[in-house]
Amino acid sequence: SLDGTLSIKDSTIASNTASFAGGGVTSGGGTTFVSNSTVAGNTAPYGGGIRAIGETLSLTGATIDGNSANHGGGVYVVSGSTLDLVNTTISGNSAGNGGGAYAESSSMDLIHATITGNSAGYGGGIHGIGSDVALRSSIVAGQATGADCVGDSFVSGGYNIESATSCGFSLASDQQNVLPAALDLGPLAPNAPG
């Protein structure tokens, strides 16, 4: 979307390449809603899966998987963007900075989110620069390479789990240094109810 509203629902956006930003989805200045959808296997220098600049981006029930970029393998938000993640999984993405998500001069609010299995030289899970990153009832654990969280202004709303201490989850309801094996987080797969 460009100064408008884009809604993506019950969709798969996969195997795309962009020469600059937003391999799967790119947006700026408006509002983008992604619900019950998968963004997978996309590539771009900035925001392999999704790139937002000066945008409100809302991901609900989404899966961001296997995307790659130099910055923000899964999601890249900059320039006053607002990113809301609810019941969303960011897994298996890779980047030089921010394998799962990269935020610069923006805000991120994660509720019931899972950030795992991502890789980066700097910030395997989330890399925040001058951004407010708030997490509640979320898992940031078991990155393939790189720390779970890198940057400033990570705030816990409680009931978060991390495999180290880089996110600064310090409330009584938070859990740190939880081994990924104890969480039994496996790779994404079609799991039948059972």
Side-chain angles (χ1 to χ4, degrees), residues 124-168:
I126 303 169
H127 184 180
I129 299 175
S131 296
D132 295 321
V133 182
L135 300 100
R136 180 163 37 109
S137 302
S138 293
I139 298 170
V140 186
Q143 308 312 321
T145 59
D148 290 323
C149 296
V150 168
D152 48 12
S153 300
F154 286 89
V155 176
S156 173
Y159 302 97
N160 296 300
I161 299 173
E162 187 194 355
S163 56
T165 60
S166 61
C167 298

Side-chain angles (χ1 to χ4, degrees), residues 5-183:
T5 300
L6 171 65
S7 294
I8 300 169
K9 184 176 180 183
D10 302 323
S11 299
T12 298
I13 299 171
S15 304
N16 299 289
T17 301
S19 60
F20 181 67
V25 177
T26 188
S27 56
T31 302
T32 297
F33 299 97
V34 179
S35 61
N36 303 319
S37 296
T38 298
V39 179
N42 302 288
T43 304
Y46 298 91
I50 301 174
R51 189 279 309 243
I53 180 167
E55 170 88 357
T56 297
L57 175 61
S58 175
L59 306 177
T60 303
T63 300
I64 312 299
D65 176 56
N67 302 285
S68 61
N70 294 332
H71 300 282
V75 180
Y76 177 83
V77 292
V78 295
S79 302
S81 292
T82 298
L83 172 62
D84 295 319
L85 284 93
V86 180
N87 296 327
T88 291
T89 298
I90 298 179
S91 175
N93 302 285
S94 62
N97 295 299
Y102 179 97
E104 185 173 337
S105 303
S106 296
S107 64
M108 295 176 64
D109 190 15
L110 292 77
I111 301 171
H112 299 290
T114 301
I115 314 292
T116 187
N118 301 288
S119 61
Y122 199 64
I126 303 169
H127 184 180
I129 299 175
S131 296
D132 295 321
V133 182
L135 300 100
R136 180 163 37 109
S137 302
S138 293
I139 298 170
V140 186
Q143 308 312 321
T145 59
D148 290 323
C149 296
V150 168
D152 48 12
S153 300
F154 286 89
V155 176
S156 173
Y159 302 97
N160 296 300
I161 299 173
E162 187 194 355
S163 56
T165 60
S166 61
C167 298
F169 298 151
S170 59
L171 297 182
S173 60
D174 292 328
Q175 297 179 49
Q176 293 182 314
N177 291 316
V178 178
L179 295 176
L183 296 172

